[in-house]
Amino acid sequence: MAVTHELGAVLRAWRDRLAPERAGLAVNAPRRASGLRREELAVLAGISADYIVRLEQGRASTPSAQVCAALARALQLSDAEQAHLFQLAGHTVDGRSISRFVPASVRRLLHQLDDHPVAVCDAMWTLISWNRLYAAVVGDPSALDDRHRNVLWRHFTGRPSRVSHSPAELAAFESSTVADLRTAAGRYPEDRQLAALITELSELSERFRTLWAARLVADHDQDHKTVEHPEVGSLDLDCDVLTTQRSDLRVVVYTAQPGSETQDKLDLLAAIGTQRMTDPAPVSPA
């Protein structure tokens, strides 16, 4: 479906009103316009400048829910404005379908917890948003499409990952996440993307089929992970999952033991950032 004239117009208006200083960008020379340039918005949202141009000119297909969430974050939209953007892009926020709507309060949480890796997933475990340290630890997922950002799809189809578990941790992770997905399936029986994911995983993974057939229902709320980072080595991380009440998002927060070697490595990665990433392999979200 093509972008509507109204969607392109509202994106231009929101871009024009956001001063680069408010977006955290340095201004070193006079500017003809007070708002963001398209190239600046593209960097902040993690999408291409050409796609911004095509969106504003109505020459692109409608953006995915993940792109809408990235634009809302970069443009610092209010909840009402974000809901309007989702509706213009054809993503309903009706309670019957899984929400990809990231409230402003959750976006602030991502920013305020910038000394911890934090990611936000929807109820079917597709990565929607993340902070800078998450990208530095796990790898920047900006270039991945929606399916490749899904935690369960990547895991059960054997995609490359920096994350590892012990055998006991692996069994617990798989059982817990599939049980959580079944909970979501009961809550959102009309969601087509969720139904398609379950069908695809059932066809591709014998392990998923076995766990799905067990019909376990539970919430996935904690985990332990070892991340093998290409520059700083092993990171020993606890993972807590906080579920938002309003939009049913999973806010995934990684922490290390205070004073540990892993904490020292996280501090180093916070300084290095994503510009030093050397791992060419696709990343595994969350």
Side-chain angles (χ1 to χ4, degrees):
M1 186 172 68
V3 173
T4 64
H5 171 75
E6 176 61 20
L7 192 153
V10 77
L11 285 177
R12 287 194 301 274
W14 287 333
R15 177 172 60 80
D16 288 344
R17 78 178 184 188
L18 181 60
E21 298 91 340
R22 282 187 54 209
L25 300 175
V27 178
N28 300 316
R31 301 165 64 102
R32 283 187 284 179
S34 59
L36 291 179
R37 298 187 177 104
R38 292 187 179 98
E39 295 79 7
E40 292 168 335
L41 175 58
V43 170
L44 291 169
I47 58 182
S48 73
D50 176 67
Y51 187 57
I52 298 289
V53 172
R54 290 186 287 114
L55 279 175
E56 293 188 354
Q57 294 179 350
R59 297 188 291 109
S61 58
T62 52
S64 68
Q66 282 72 24
V67 169
C68 288
L71 288 168
R73 182 189 72 248
L75 291 165
Q76 300 181 15
L77 301 185
S78 69
D79 288 354
E81 290 166 340
Q82 185 180 183
H84 185 58
L85 173 61
F86 270 64
Q87 288 162 358
L88 288 175
H91 305 297
T92 58
V93 185
D94 56 11
R96 296 191 301 273
S97 300
I98 289 177
S99 175
R100 279 89 190 175
F101 181 98
V102 183
S105 58
V106 175
R107 299 201 304 269
R108 287 195 299 271
L109 186 67
L110 277 171
H111 177 70
Q112 291 168 359
L113 292 178
D114 60 358
D115 55 344
H116 299 285
V118 183
V120 179
C121 297
D122 63 21
M124 58 186 274
W125 288 97
T126 298
L127 181 65
I128 302 172
S129 192
W130 57 91
N131 65 5
R132 179 175 173 269
L133 189 52
Y134 175 88
V137 169
V138 181
D140 190 351
S142 299
L144 301 179
D145 61 22
D146 292 354
R147 181 58 88 228
H148 283 80
R149 288 184 187 175
N150 185 271
V151 175
L152 276 76
W153 185 86
R154 291 194 64 85
H155 177 78
F156 285 103
T157 59
R159 300 295 164 172
S161 174
R162 295 179 184 176
V163 175
S164 63
H165 297 90
S166 70
E169 289 170 348
L170 179 62
F173 170 79
E174 292 178 339
S175 177
S176 179
T177 53
V178 173
D180 190 282
L181 191 69
R182 183 171 282 283
T183 302
R187 190 175 296 131
Y188 305 102
E190 300 176 38
D191 191 284
R192 295 180 181 178
Q193 292 186 53
L194 175 55
L197 174 67
I198 293 167
T199 298
E200 188 174 352
L201 287 176
S202 298
E203 293 172 349
L204 295 175
S205 170
E206 181 179 357
R207 175 61 174 161
F208 179 85
R209 285 196 303 274
T210 299
L211 290 169
W212 190 254
R215 288 180 164 75
L216 297 176
V217 177
D219 295 327
H220 180 60
D221 56 10
Q222 62 182 4
D223 190 16
H224 179 271
K225 299 178 187 294
T226 300
V227 176
E228 296 297 338
H229 192 276
E231 293 181 0
V232 301
S234 295
L235 299 166
D236 190 41
L237 296 167
D238 291 322
C239 175
D240 290 283
V241 182
L242 315 175
T243 302
T244 63
Q245 195 165 31
R246 175 180 168 187
S247 48
D248 205 15
L249 300 174
R250 278 71 170 137
V251 181
V252 186
V253 183
Y254 295 81
T255 58
Q257 289 291 331
S260 65
E261 183 180 357
T262 292
Q263 185 59 61
D264 292 340
K265 292 177 179 180
L266 286 181
D267 294 340
L268 175 61
L269 286 173
I272 292 174
T274 57
Q275 71 271 19
R276 292 277 301 279
M277 292 295 99
T278 57
D279 185 1
V283 301
S284 179

